[in-house]
Amino acid sequence: MEKFQMKEFLQLVSRDKRTLEMFRYLMNNSYIRVVNYHNTNPVDAERFEAEIKYFSQHFVPVTLKDLGQFFETKVWPYDKPGLIPAIFEGFRNHYDVILPILDKYHFTGWFYLPSFFMDVPVMDQLAFSEAHDLNVSDKNLYPDQRVAMTWDEVREIAGRHEICCHTGNHFEITKETSQEDMQREIVEAKRYLEEKIGREVEVFCWLYGEEYHYNEKAHKFLKEAGYKYVVSNLKLERIR
Amino acid sequence: MKEMQDVWEDLKHQELDKYKETMEYCKTRVTANEGIPAVLGLDDLTAPWDAVWQGPEAEKELHGAMAAAAMIFASLYEKLEPEELGHYPGIAPAMSALAELFFRPGTDGEAVPYRDVVKDFLKQQPKAGEADRQCETKTELLSQQQKGGK
């Protein structure tokens, strides 16, 4: 049985400052649980239903209003912890499979959409998915080859759940990304999504864990766009 | 409630096997098709850095242990070869492994792991080595986990 070695441990956890940041958030109660979903294929519907049912019994759903209150008062307003089912990429199987389950258990989902995916012509959607690292796990699920949600479906979801921007084209923004690309993927993506759903989009989510703190070039565009929250694979930051 | 000194004291007495077991389990998850739990830190850039937060009553006894466990997972992931870890810091996969082990507070004050939520749907865990062969490389496996939807 391997025992803990303090000296080696301290060397390892001090390699990256984000490690000790996470320690601080956990000690200070400033954290939230998420469960990340990508494809929600019909073959897994039974599992998803068991999960969402379980979440509804042991957690409270989190709306943007709840989160805003937590950030404002620094006091979690419920007895149970919160949990966010985070549903990524705007796939059609989200509307068909997990949305009815979330609605059945009155559990709020956060849908992270690449804003321009829904406008890709149906016959091009699979090719677009492959080119933009949108991993469609069952390419034969829909004979008509439409794998993205329609705007009508997105608007229906927006009525009961949270809609967040996941760039415009599922685009990886790095420190080397051009200003033109940042403008399109951060600012225009938000405005287009808002125009389509008819309400403000407050949350931006990076691809692959890039972080606001670590990308100062993107700072200007996130501010200009007017996002309130920025999500990475480590944290959710309130920026205004 | 655990104070900082309690957490550091606890760390000295940890046995690492349960953490390593969770990390092995994490390798078998299929990010594309399964719900993958994680814990996100909340950072308010509009407030003083030392603002004090108050979590749910049910987590009062758990968050200190979670902080310690996150550090243990991070240190174990940091021991991996760079090609296995990709360009992510060890804390990235650690926050998902943490959510696996501490998915929710139980009635006895102990943590309930995520595997308890999905136990009826778990496939037989591959033996050592088999998980690697499901993807082309270990790097691909880790990369899938760390993307965690991002």
Side-chain angles (χ1 to χ4, degrees):
Chain A
M1 208 171 283
E2 192 180 342
K3 280 283 188 186
F4 184 77
Q5 303 294 327
M6 182 60 88
K7 189 177 169 190
E8 180 193 47
F9 166 79
L10 289 173
Q11 285 170 344
L12 289 165
V13 298
S14 56
R15 274 185 187 171
D16 190 296
K17 77 170 191 179
R18 285 168 282 192
T19 308
L20 294 174
E21 272 183 348
M22 292 302 127
F23 181 78
R24 180 166 69 83
Y25 300 139
L26 289 161
M27 283 305 291
N28 197 23
N29 292 297
S30 55
Y31 62 89
I32 195 104
R33 288 178 181 79
V34 297
V35 177
N36 295 317
Y37 294 92
H38 290 80
N39 290 273
T40 58
N41 292 319
V43 69
D44 297 313
E46 197 185 343
R47 172 179 169 141
F48 297 140
E49 174 144 12
E51 290 176 21
I52 303 298
K53 184 180 177 187
Y54 187 96
F55 301 163
S56 71
Q57 291 165 342
H58 297 284
F59 295 91
V60 291
V62 183
T63 62
L64 273 167
K65 195 176 164 197
D66 295 321
L67 188 76
Q69 189 181 344
F70 194 26
F71 270 102
E72 207 57 51
T73 63
K74 307 289 186 278
V75 178
W76 181 247
Y78 304 104
D79 290 337
K80 290 180 185 174
L83 184 137
I84 299 173
I87 299 142
F88 287 90
E89 324 297 34
F91 291 142
R92 176 181 180 178
N93 53 39
H94 299 164
Y95 180 84
D96 292 342
V97 178
I98 204 160
L99 176 69
I101 298 171
L102 290 165
D103 287 341
K104 181 177 174 182
Y105 293 97
H106 307 288
F107 214 82
T108 307
W110 289 31
F111 291 78
Y112 291 87
L113 309 182
S115 306
F116 307 140
F117 185 29
M118 274 59 71
D119 282 342
V120 174
V122 168
M123 295 311 290
D124 298 333
Q125 287 184 357
L126 276 170
F128 179 92
S129 302
E130 281 189 24
H132 293 82
D133 204 14
L134 290 157
N135 182 359
V136 178
S137 61
D138 184 354
K139 294 179 176 57
N140 299 315
L141 181 58
Y142 295 109
D144 68 1
Q145 296 194 41
R146 177 169 70 83
V147 292
M149 284 190 276
T150 65
W151 282 115
D152 281 341
E153 290 168 344
V154 173
R155 278 188 282 272
E156 187 187 328
I157 291 173
R160 303 187 294 276
H161 299 272
E162 304 297 353
I163 300 289
C164 312
C165 183
H166 194 27
T167 75
N169 291 295
H170 204 246
F171 188 94
E172 182 176 14
I173 295 164
T174 68
K175 293 180 178 68
E176 284 72 45
T177 299
S178 71
Q179 302 236 341
E180 186 187 6
D181 286 344
M182 286 203 192
Q183 176 72 22
R184 184 189 63 245
E185 298 294 330
I186 297 173
V187 183
E188 289 170 24
K190 178 180 192 282
R191 290 180 186 153
Y192 192 63
L193 194 50
E194 288 173 338
E195 183 188 312
K196 288 294 187 180
I197 66 171
R199 74 176 214 207
E200 191 184 358
V201 172
E202 294 184 90
V203 182
F204 177 83
C205 180
W206 304 105
L207 268 69
Y208 315 134
E210 267 293 336
E211 283 178 52
Y212 177 74
H213 264 141
Y214 290 83
N215 193 332
E216 287 178 12
K217 264 178 75 182
H219 176 110
K220 167 176 165 281
F221 294 94
L222 288 160
K223 288 270 187 190
E224 179 190 327
Y227 290 104
K228 191 168 183 182
Y229 302 105
V230 180
V231 180
S232 74
N233 61 357
L234 282 174
K235 56 182 152 180
L236 191 163
E237 296 168 302
R238 178 183 171 181
I239 64 170
R240 70 168 174 88
Chain B
M1 195 191 322
K2 276 186 194 292
E3 299 297 338
M4 189 76 84
Q5 60 268 33
D6 302 323
V7 172
W8 288 111
E9 196 55 39
D10 283 354
L11 275 170
K12 289 184 205 163
H13 301 103
Q14 292 289 332
E15 284 161 2
L16 301 181
D17 296 5
K18 71 173 176 182
Y19 298 97
K20 289 182 174 176
E21 185 192 314
T22 302
M23 289 165 68
E24 282 301 310
Y25 167 71
C26 287
K27 282 186 191 173
T28 69
R29 302 177 305 181
V30 182
T31 306
N33 296 329
E34 295 176 16
I36 306 291
V39 176
L40 297 181
L42 298 179
D43 197 352
D44 190 347
L45 303 184
T46 69
W49 72 271
D50 57 351
V52 176
W53 297 57
Q54 190 179 318
E57 187 67 25
E59 299 258 274
K60 236 178 175 175
E61 300 302 322
L62 208 59
H63 71 107
M66 288 172 69
M71 297 302 98
I72 291 171
F73 277 125
S75 69
L76 292 172
Y77 277 111
E78 286 288 347
K79 283 186 190 176
L80 296 180
E81 295 298 322
E83 58 270 23
E84 290 181 274
L85 202 48
H87 68 277
Y88 296 96
I91 189 65
M95 293 300 277
S96 182
L98 175 71
E100 287 284 354
L101 198 55
F102 289 80
F103 187 61
R104 71 170 181 89
T107 47
D108 55 0
E110 293 294 308
V112 178
Y114 192 64
R115 268 175 290 181
D116 276 18
V117 185
V118 292
K119 59 181 181 294
D120 295 339
F121 300 94
L122 291 181
K123 299 169 191 82
Q124 188 68 35
Q125 282 191 41
K127 291 177 186 150
E130 287 181 8
D132 296 347
R133 287 194 290 277
Q134 289 175 0
C135 288
E136 283 181 15
T137 63
K138 273 188 177 177
T139 309
E140 186 187 343
L141 261 172
L142 260 172
S143 167
Q144 283 180 8
Q145 291 166 24
Q146 288 159 345
K147 282 178 186 176
K150 308 304 183 293

